[in-house]
Amino acid sequence: QVTLKESGPALVKPTQTLTLTCTFSGFSLSTSGMRVTWIRQPPGKALEWLARIDWGDDKFYSTSLKTRLTISKDTSKNQVVLIMTNMEPVDTATYYCARMNAGGTHMDVWGEGTTVTVSS
Amino acid sequence: QSALTQPPSASGSPGQSVTISCTGTYNDIGYYNYVSWYQQHPGKAPKLMIYESSQRPSGVPDRFSGSKSGNTASLTVSGLQAEDEADYYCFSYAGSNTYVFGTGTKVTVL
């Protein structure tokens, strides 16, 4: 059974850096074809794709946020980390990690999400 | 990358059908057959309902179907049931390993 779970701070101050961790089980990111992605959703708004990391450590980012995002993986811990710098109130959202299929075309299993509020 | 356009809302009575459109451009939906649809109940994570425009994952009722024509993809829910009331989002590959979501549609079962 594949599961993913996000963790991180519930509250960050403006200008701070956010670090989120996705801990997963049921698959290995060292296996060819495995990919993990991050998505966020501001309250009452639509989903937004953020970043993706692949089994070979290839990394891809949203064009609009690429200067603020860093994605990495720790295969031994079955974890993927997303770092977002210079947080602003508009970054308040629920952040989800999800596994992508081998073709990198859709998310087949999602975590439950973690809510992050940016406020002083 | 601009969000794909979906109608804000759609509705139908139990047993009826509802179709949600998702309009993109030639650079995303029009070029790639990689549209997926997600159902999201309030306070819950999204769930995959359709992938590669028309494929249904195991466990998803066959009341859910997808199609694509040109720059527009569609999700149809036939035989509406109360549990189908949710938000629905389309998602497409947009080239160069980037992706775009739709604006979301709230489906109400009357």
Side-chain angles (χ1 to χ4, degrees):
Chain A
Q1 180 189 3
V2 173
T3 64
L4 304 98
K5 187 173 178 64
E6 307 85 350
S7 60
L11 178 67
V12 298
K13 291 181 167 49
T15 76
Q16 286 188 335
T17 294
L18 171 68
T19 299
L20 295 173
T21 301
C22 174
T23 303
F24 55 87
S25 63
F27 68 99
S28 173
L29 248 186
S30 61
T31 301
S32 177
M34 290 296 112
R35 313 166 193 263
V36 171
T37 194
W38 283 92
I39 298 107
R40 71 177 179 179
Q41 185 174 36
K45 296 190 176 182
L47 299 162
E48 179 182 17
W49 179 76
L50 299 177
R52 188 189 99 198
I53 189 165
D54 296 348
W55 75 99
D57 210 32
D58 290 322
K59 303 165 186 178
F60 306 97
Y61 299 99
S62 160
T63 303
S64 59
L65 291 168
K66 64 188 304 181
T67 61
R68 299 173 54 205
L69 294 174
T70 302
I71 193 170
S72 62
K73 63 183 175 71
D74 186 330
T75 304
S76 66
K77 293 182 179 179
N78 280 351
Q79 290 181 335
V80 170
V81 173
L82 182 73
I83 296 172
M84 181 178 288
T85 61
N86 194 24
M87 294 290 286
E88 302 175 4
V90 295
D91 296 314
T92 294
T94 296
Y95 287 76
Y96 296 98
C97 64
R99 188 182 73 168
M100 288 197 107
N101 70 310
T105 60
H106 58 271
M107 288 71 71
D108 58 1
V109 184
W110 294 64
E112 62 186 23
T114 187
T115 299
V116 178
T117 300
V118 184
S119 176
S120 54
Chain B
Q1 194 71 43
S2 298
L4 307 173
T5 301
Q6 298 179 233
S9 62
S11 62
S13 299
Q16 289 187 331
S17 295
V18 65
T19 297
I20 304 165
S21 62
C22 170
T23 301
T25 70
Y26 176 75
N27 295 316
D28 37 63
I29 293 177
Y31 192 82
Y32 303 100
N33 198 34
Y34 296 143
V35 178
S36 51
W37 289 90
Y38 301 86
Q39 176 191 66
Q40 186 180 35
H41 288 110
K44 300 295 187 182
K47 174 188 174 185
L48 177 68
M49 305 303 284
I50 295 288
Y51 67 96
E52 291 173 9
S53 299
S54 61
Q55 303 302 304
R56 201 170 43 249
S58 63
V60 173
D62 59 7
R63 303 183 291 102
F64 291 85
S65 62
S67 63
K68 193 196 86 163
S69 178
N71 297 340
T72 299
S74 298
L75 173 73
T76 297
V77 186
S78 305
L80 266 175
Q81 299 183 5
E83 64 257 35
D84 299 332
E85 185 161 296
D87 294 328
Y88 291 83
Y89 291 93
C90 57
F91 176 77
S92 176
Y93 182 67
S96 300
N97 290 292
T98 64
Y99 304 86
V100 61
F101 274 101
T103 51
T105 298
K106 181 176 180 60
V107 169
T108 301
V109 181
L110 301 172

